Amino acid sequence: MKFPFITVGTAILLGLNAPAGAQVGAAAAAAVPPQQSMFKGSPGQELLRVTNEMWFLLSGVADRKGADAAAPSFMKLIDEMEAIGKLLQGEDGMAQDLEALDMLHYRIAEALDDLSAEFESLCRVNCYGSPALIKGFRRAVDSGVVGEEVVEDLTEPRPVLTEKEARHEISRFRRLAAPDRDLLLALQGVQDVESANRAIASLQSLAVRLENLQPKQEHADRRFSPSALRSAREAYAPVEPLLWGIRTELVRIASLPGYDEMPYDNFSDALDRVYENLANSHSTWFEDVFDASFRSDLDEALHENVTTSN
């Protein structure tokens, strides 16, 4: 998905043909008094700066504490975005400084692509349960900084796991290492179509094992208390290197000659089911390994595979 500025972002900032969700942002920006003096560069340059600062801020968020800490600065950057929108719109409601903006369009688009990935990544982990950052993300929608569909799945954090529930989850974490280890071995054995097809039965069995290790519905998407978090991380520690190994093998397999062709279809179907159950059973910290860079590596491997095949 492209960040809204790539498709309608300049319209949002300039108040031109903005979608319904962006009209709120235009109205909010209109309420901001002219602030040219607060900016050192042109509106286009300032938009690039604020976009990069917002990306840097969000890319450093890795847990609830960091999300809470980032929220006030995020709100201030939204204020700056709205002020820049006001400057670009101009006192008469018409677009201003378009030439400077056009000159920076490629750099702005590239920066917004990176920022989009951070928004989506944090939304997938529900902003680590931070009410303050969730509020900031919803404000970003109202301001036209991000599309509503990006944050539609954000939910207020559920109650912290009780002591008994935490013990159950920690015990489940310890049982994840065995199927992960078997999955890594199965993937390491895939070198061509024949070995891939031989691995299908193992993958089907592993999919069931991982499905049976998914968290209870009432435990899903809930945080550990500070006192239980250390034990949870210790129980999960042996799992993480296995996941990194699995990640490496998935990218390698995607680059096998002809992987995008029919002979691999049955294997790919079995692997898709395993990956889905792997994500569900490891949901607490899955995105730490299978993040945006993994998807980028996988896309690159598949693209090179297609290019080589052709």
Side-chain angles (χ1 to χ4, degrees):
M1 188 199 107
K2 293 293 185 182
F3 196 74
F5 279 142
I6 304 301
T7 54
V8 296
T10 41
I12 289 174
L13 285 173
L14 301 174
L16 305 172
N17 302 318
Q23 297 297 338
V24 180
V32 179
Q35 301 183 53
Q36 179 70 61
S37 60
M38 71 179 284
F39 297 124
K40 295 180 180 180
S42 69
Q45 292 171 327
E46 293 300 314
L47 173 58
L48 180 61
R49 175 187 63 78
V50 174
T51 300
N52 284 330
E53 287 186 13
M54 193 174 286
W55 171 84
F56 184 78
L57 176 70
L58 296 182
S59 66
V61 174
D63 53 27
R64 167 67 185 273
K65 182 178 180 181
D68 287 341
S73 296
F74 182 77
M75 288 292 199
K76 291 179 181 178
L77 290 171
I78 293 291
D79 289 341
E80 291 193 48
M81 282 280 197
E82 290 177 348
I84 293 167
K86 174 63 176 175
L87 290 174
L88 284 168
Q89 188 176 356
E91 289 300 309
D92 56 1
M94 301 300 290
Q96 306 291 319
D97 199 33
L98 289 182
E99 182 178 353
L101 188 63
D102 286 343
M103 291 174 63
L104 291 169
H105 181 269
Y106 178 79
R107 291 175 63 191
I108 292 172
E110 192 174 53
L112 288 167
D113 253 347
D114 292 339
L115 181 58
S116 173
E118 292 304 324
F119 268 111
E120 293 180 356
S121 177
L122 285 169
C123 284
R124 279 193 294 270
V125 295
N126 203 47
C127 292
Y128 293 101
S130 168
L133 193 58
I134 288 173
K135 181 179 179 181
F137 273 32
R138 288 180 176 151
R139 163 113 185 269
V141 172
D142 292 341
S143 300
V145 177
V146 64
E148 186 173 1
E149 72 280 2
V150 176
V151 303
E152 61 185 358
D153 293 329
L154 285 180
T155 58
E156 295 300 325
R158 299 176 65 192
V160 172
L161 291 166
T162 66
E163 184 177 340
K164 181 179 179 180
E165 290 169 333
R167 286 199 302 269
H168 184 280
E169 276 296 277
I170 290 170
S171 175
R172 187 180 67 83
F173 285 172
R174 293 193 179 104
R175 297 197 301 274
L176 290 172
D180 287 357
R181 190 175 297 108
D182 291 344
L183 175 57
L184 178 57
L185 290 173
L187 295 178
Q188 288 173 337
V190 176
Q191 304 294 330
D192 49 30
V193 173
E194 290 74 16
S195 55
N197 287 331
R198 287 196 302 269
I200 291 175
S202 295
L203 293 183
Q204 291 171 336
S205 175
L206 284 162
V208 173
R209 291 170 64 186
L210 289 167
E211 185 175 13
N212 291 335
L213 283 171
Q214 292 181 19
K216 291 182 178 181
Q217 186 174 359
E218 61 267 29
H219 295 173
D221 301 321
R222 290 173 60 190
R223 295 176 291 112
F224 289 94
S225 67
S227 60
L229 183 58
R230 180 175 179 179
S231 295
R233 289 193 176 278
E234 288 175 353
Y236 195 80
V239 172
E240 190 167 5
L242 295 172
L243 290 183
W244 279 104
I246 290 168
R247 168 182 163 148
T248 298
E249 291 305 310
L250 290 176
V251 174
R252 179 188 64 79
I253 289 171
S255 67
L256 290 176
Y259 183 71
D260 60 318
E261 298 174 359
M262 189 185 304
Y264 279 100
D265 283 355
N266 290 335
F267 171 81
S268 293
D269 289 343
L271 190 56
D272 284 345
R273 185 184 173 200
V274 168
Y275 183 81
E276 179 181 357
N277 290 339
L278 187 73
N280 291 336
S281 58
H282 296 67
S283 58
T284 306
W285 291 300
F286 187 76
E287 289 288 337
D288 289 356
V289 176
F290 296 93
D291 55 6
S293 67
F294 164 69
R295 289 180 286 277
S296 176
D297 291 346
L298 198 61
D299 287 344
E300 184 177 348
L302 291 169
H303 177 73
E304 290 180 356
N305 197 331
V306 172
T307 303
T308 303
S309 299
N310 293 335

